[in-house]
Amino acid sequence: MAAGKRDFGNIRKLSSGRYQARYTGPDGGEYKAPSTFRLKGDAEAWLVDRRREIDRELWSPPASSAQIRQTKANQTTFREYAESWLKFRTVKGRPLAAKTVFDYEDILRLHIYPTFGEQKLRDIDMDTVDRWYADLCPDAPTMRARTYSLLKTILKTAHERDRLIAENPCLIAGAGAAQRTKKIRVATIPEIEIIMGEMPAELMAMILFGTWCTLRYSECIELRRKDVDIDDAVVYVRRHAVRGRGGWNCGLTKTDAGIRDVEIPPHILPALRVHLDFIEDDPETRWFPPATDDPCGTERWLQPSTFYRHYYRARNKAERPDLAFHDLRHTGATMAAHTGATIAELMARLGHSTPQAAMHYQHVAQGRGRQIADAMSKLAGA
């Protein structure tokens, strides 16, 4: 690094090739320019301006970065910060999925903004959060946990990354996690067959993809003809479509792990071939096009109301009114675990980025207490 001596201030060239300027103020303190300069002349001009301020007695110590952050925290409301957080939030370099943004906006609007929206960040303390949490969604434990977790995450960013608050006031242990209140009962093979038999012919494949390929509803309705290779028995999951307040949003799957190739079980291939008779012979044709001509923005997808009108009737015929479409995915995951699939294999098939859910399916598949006990008795008898 090279340094240049001057009557006032100092300029040095950094290893990056840019120039840093600094000077000693009337109070004896050393002050640096808030940023470096591409040209040495720009650094010199900045020092000339500081010297003029001192000569005219207009100079005052510049605010430190800590003071600037404190001023920002004193002025910024939680609503302002949360809206900015939601706009620029990323997960592993990718922006939040559209459905996640819609969900977070609803949670903020309904449960967080009424209490914290107009409060300054600096004024949100532990006692305020504790009192708010005490009355939060008492009859909806899952929503209560999600709401607390969202508030905690936003304030964590304000504390750890932006350093706008001295500490995160969300300190209630376990408040961001909810125990599953609904125990999912997976479907049996006969129940799946009944449901398929009751669905319109052009929608039967939705049941197959949801169960045997563990696809989500949002992934099924965005499948194009080019995404399913019948000959090689693979479905290529690349995109999904979700509907929010602003209409439909189509894009990449929620996470990188959601982009995956799912091997199709051979026994459902004949039914998938039959389904091709219902759609146009075009690579971009959707497997499940909309049932009406009503446009949804510039693109159209199968309306959930259209599908569920048939699905609810079909599941009632199977005497499974509790079986949500997403439960078919649980069913397929559990059957895959029964085959001996490893956690990594389940994660790849389901499109999960963490092993927790895959471990759950393995545990379900391994929950064969009666068979194990009987086998132990046979050993004892032998």
Side-chain angles (χ1 to χ4, degrees):
M1 298 183 186
K5 294 294 183 181
R6 306 170 45 83
D7 292 338
F8 174 78
N10 178 270
I11 296 174
R12 66 169 180 165
K13 188 175 183 179
L14 304 176
S15 58
S16 63
R18 296 180 67 86
Y19 293 89
Q20 183 185 74
R22 55 187 171 186
Y23 66 96
T24 300
D27 60 354
E30 184 177 81
Y31 299 96
K32 296 179 182 178
S35 61
T36 57
F37 302 92
R38 186 173 65 87
L39 300 176
K40 185 177 181 180
D42 293 337
E44 292 173 340
W46 183 82
L47 286 174
V48 169
D49 289 340
R50 303 292 80 73
R51 179 61 182 266
R52 286 173 180 166
E53 290 175 352
I54 294 172
D55 291 343
R56 297 174 184 178
E57 298 184 353
L58 299 175
W59 181 87
S60 60
S64 66
S65 56
Q67 291 171 323
I68 293 173
R69 288 194 299 269
Q70 187 59 51
T71 300
K72 185 176 179 181
N74 292 344
Q75 296 174 346
T76 303
T77 66
F78 177 84
R79 183 192 300 271
E80 292 169 339
Y81 184 79
E83 289 175 351
S84 175
W85 180 91
L86 199 58
K87 183 178 180 180
F88 298 106
R89 171 75 169 173
T90 61
V91 178
K92 295 184 178 179
R94 292 181 58 181
L96 294 176
K99 185 177 185 304
T100 302
V101 173
F102 296 146
D103 290 345
Y104 284 176
E105 286 177 342
D106 284 341
I107 291 173
L108 287 165
R109 176 174 53 85
L110 295 173
H111 305 301
I112 298 180
Y113 285 160
T115 299
F116 299 109
E118 307 314 314
Q119 282 197 33
K120 300 292 192 293
L121 282 174
R122 65 174 183 179
D123 294 334
I124 301 176
D125 57 23
M126 185 179 66
D127 290 339
T128 306
V129 171
D130 289 354
R131 288 195 300 271
W132 163 79
Y133 179 76
D135 298 324
L136 176 65
C137 303
D139 299 322
T142 299
M143 178 55 68
R144 189 184 200 202
R146 291 188 64 201
T147 301
Y148 184 86
S149 179
L150 178 58
L151 176 67
K152 182 176 181 179
T153 300
I154 293 173
L155 293 178
K156 179 181 179 181
T157 306
H159 166 52
E160 294 185 358
R161 189 194 71 180
D162 297 331
R163 292 183 286 174
L164 294 177
I165 53 178
E167 62 180 2
N168 188 341
C170 296
L171 300 173
I172 304 175
Q179 296 294 324
R180 184 184 293 273
T181 56
K182 174 191 172 184
K183 185 175 181 180
I184 296 174
R185 181 164 63 95
V186 300
T188 64
I189 301 298
E191 289 169 348
I192 295 171
E193 291 176 346
I194 293 173
I195 291 172
M196 283 189 57
E198 295 295 328
M199 294 293 289
E202 67 273 15
L203 293 178
M204 287 176 57
M206 282 276 285
I207 307 301
L208 295 174
F209 281 128
T211 305
W212 297 103
C213 299
T214 62
L215 266 59
R216 303 172 175 90
Y217 181 88
S218 62
E219 295 168 343
C220 286
I221 62 173
E222 179 47 23
L223 277 182
R224 312 291 177 106
R225 187 162 183 146
K226 66 181 181 182
D227 297 324
V228 182
D229 189 330
I230 300 292
D231 294 332
D232 288 341
V234 178
V235 53
Y236 303 104
V237 183
R238 297 295 182 268
R239 301 168 309 280
H240 70 167
V242 295
R243 189 173 62 180
R245 290 188 301 277
W248 284 93
N249 184 283
C250 173
L252 295 177
T253 56
K254 183 176 179 180
T255 64
D256 290 334
I259 299 175
R260 62 200 190 277
D261 301 345
V262 180
E263 289 75 12
I264 303 172
H267 75 280
I268 70 171
L269 290 173
L272 296 184
R273 287 193 176 93
V274 170
H275 181 88
L276 294 178
D277 295 335
F278 296 105
I279 60 177
E280 298 178 7
D281 189 12
D282 182 329
E284 297 298 329
T285 298
R286 292 191 178 88
W287 270 70
F288 308 103
T292 69
D293 295 328
D294 296 331
C296 300
T298 57
E299 302 237 25
R300 303 205 309 273
W301 287 269
L302 175 67
Q303 299 294 311
S305 58
T306 300
F307 173 79
Y308 283 110
R309 180 172 68 251
H310 299 292
Y311 178 72
Y312 290 156
R313 180 178 55 81
R315 72 180 186 181
N316 287 338
K317 285 284 187 178
E319 299 183 355
R320 286 300 307 272
D322 60 306
L323 193 70
F325 180 79
H326 198 73
D327 295 344
L328 297 179
R329 176 172 154 86
H330 289 283
T331 298
T334 302
M335 286 191 289
H338 272 296
T339 68
T342 66
I343 292 176
E345 290 166 339
L346 287 172
M347 288 174 62
R349 190 168 185 84
L350 292 162
H352 283 157
S353 56
T354 60
Q356 281 75 16
M359 290 174 65
H360 166 75
Y361 296 120
Q362 277 203 333
H363 292 160
V364 170
Q366 292 167 358
R368 297 171 292 140
R370 174 45 52 196
Q371 294 94 317
I372 292 172
D374 291 345
M376 292 172 69
S377 290
K378 291 179 179 179
L379 284 175

